[in-house]
Amino acid sequence: MSADPWDILLTFTRLGLVSFGGANLPEIERVLVEQKGWITPQVLAGGFALGQVMPGPNMLAMTHYGFAAGGWWGAAAATAGFYGPTALLSAAAMLAWQRLSRWRWLPPLRSALLPFGAGVLLAGALVLGRSSLHSWPAAVIAVAAFVLLQRTRVNAAVVVLGAAGLGALLGL
Amino acid sequence: MPAPALSPTAPDHPAQPQRPPTPLGLLQLFLGVALVGIGGGLPAHTRRALAARGWLTDAAFAEAFTLAQLTPGPNAVNLAAMVGAHLCGPRGAALAVAGILAPGLVAMLAVSVITLGLPGGLPPTFQSALRGAACAALGVMLTAAVPVVQVALGVRGGAVLMGATFLALAALKLDLLPVLAVVVAAGLLLNRPRSGE
């Protein structure tokens, strides 16, 4: 069931280049679960959760998906593909920024990208909700985590680990 | 995930630069940022670490942060690439990115081997724990979405464009690139530079 590393590299490169702000879960689900069949919805949700408790960027879930799709080479290809080209693009953009900052279309571009990014985030929440909210206790945990994070300064990793403990106890 | 806003951090007064930035220094800085940034808030940690070394002013940081959100890819990694490129050129960018990714990569690979490699799948208790964690991760994601949605609603046509994006992706399951093209074109048209402004 091991996918071709080249295919993984190209697929994750494309996923990286179309994700603004990080998690582009609707597209990740469409491509990895429905189109390629490399991962199941359970691996999608599980990897996303693992990403929340790892040091560094949350989207290290991509490494997890790559490993699920093609073992060690898959993990390497997914990581290089998702992070490499976008990092290169960012470094190049930084070096061009001084000239861009006076461009009159820059504020409109920012205004156009913001609602798009917000829509993607909300669609991503729905994707994640569909694959993880299968019972009332699950929904309560999600709402409780949201309220706790909104109202207090508690670390998100602590909340996720606490929910993992609850999940194990309740046998979700 | 978009990181929370940067404003409510402790007042950081840029210290005198003890040492000039080097690629290796950037590697070390971003390794530290990754390790303290479990659960998010990486841009805030990046800002604090840079201010403590006197390597970047807040204004230069704000500029880099805005740009990191406009370029595709995860904000925190984009930010590392930009700060690295700004301070030390291409080698700085490469080592900054390596630094912010390395700790999580090692940890994630270890966990992936264990969770995905077991014959017969995961033990039921672990599966339950992962399901609980996924529910909380949804909560984390929604808290990160709140400020993004608020800012988007303040943009001209923001509510309609955001709703259209959501419906196109979530309900109609359309390919992302055409949705991006249509929504951004509409947004550019609505927010086009006007003479006299």
Side-chain angles (χ1 to χ4, degrees):
Chain A
M1 61 148 271
S2 215
D4 175 30
W6 267 113
D7 194 8
I8 295 178
L9 184 75
L10 294 178
T11 302
F12 280 78
T13 296
R14 192 177 154 283
L15 285 176
L17 291 176
V18 298
S19 66
F20 291 88
N24 188 345
L25 277 180
E27 184 73 357
I28 290 168
E29 187 210 30
R30 199 182 68 81
V31 173
L32 298 186
V33 178
E34 291 174 13
Q35 197 179 315
K36 300 277 184 181
W38 284 343
I39 59 174
T40 62
Q42 288 71 39
V43 171
L44 183 86
F48 191 84
L50 287 172
Q52 306 296 316
V53 294
M54 292 295 152
N58 295 337
M59 286 317 287
L60 278 169
M62 307 311 278
T63 306
H64 185 75
Y65 303 152
F67 191 89
W72 292 101
W73 281 109
T79 311
F82 192 75
Y83 289 105
T86 56
L88 265 179
L89 203 68
S90 299
M94 186 71 221
L95 302 172
W97 173 246
Q98 301 300 343
R99 259 173 287 169
L100 266 182
S101 63
R102 288 169 178 243
W103 186 40
R104 61 202 292 260
W105 280 92
L106 190 65
L109 183 61
R110 189 178 299 154
S111 300
L113 282 173
L114 278 167
F116 176 76
V120 170
L121 262 177
L122 291 179
L126 190 74
V127 168
L128 200 60
R130 265 202 305 248
S131 58
S132 47
L133 301 185
H134 288 305
S135 63
W136 282 110
V140 169
I141 289 177
V143 171
F146 176 76
V147 171
L148 202 62
L149 288 163
Q150 283 288 94
R151 297 276 168 87
T152 68
R153 296 226 133 259
V154 62
N155 190 306
V158 174
V159 174
V160 175
L161 284 174
L166 265 177
L169 279 177
L170 295 171
L172 279 182
Chain B
M1 313 251 354
L6 290 166
S7 36
T9 45
D12 295 318
H13 299 291
Q16 291 295 318
Q18 291 107 1
R19 290 168 294 160
T22 59
L24 272 181
L26 283 165
L27 174 70
Q28 203 181 8
L29 184 151
F30 281 103
L31 278 173
V33 166
L35 287 172
V36 295
I38 299 175
L42 289 174
H45 293 299
T46 303
R47 174 171 163 273
R48 205 168 296 159
L50 284 166
R53 287 169 174 75
W55 283 357
L56 207 63
T57 63
D58 271 357
F61 178 84
E63 221 170 62
F65 186 63
T66 309
L67 202 52
Q69 287 175 306
L70 283 180
T71 45
N75 290 341
V77 183
N78 289 348
L79 185 62
M82 287 176 174
V83 170
H86 179 70
L87 293 175
C88 291
R91 283 186 61 217
L95 286 185
V97 169
I100 204 157
L101 286 180
L105 261 184
V106 173
M108 182 57 101
L109 278 173
V111 174
S112 298
V113 171
I114 296 166
T115 57
L116 297 170
L118 285 178
L122 286 176
T125 311
F126 199 95
Q127 279 183 17
S128 304
L130 215 48
R131 275 191 211 112
C135 296
L138 177 63
V140 175
M141 190 169 179
L142 286 173
T143 43
V146 168
V148 179
V149 169
Q150 278 169 347
V151 174
L153 288 176
V155 169
R156 192 194 299 262
V160 173
L161 293 178
M162 182 177 79
T165 305
F166 175 76
L167 284 179
L169 297 178
L172 305 175
K173 298 231 166 195
L174 298 180
D175 197 293
L176 186 113
L177 280 178
V179 178
L180 169 78
V182 170
V183 169
V184 169
L188 282 174
L189 201 65
L190 284 169
N191 294 280
R192 66 187 174 277
R194 277 152 236 259
S195 49
E197 263 179 41

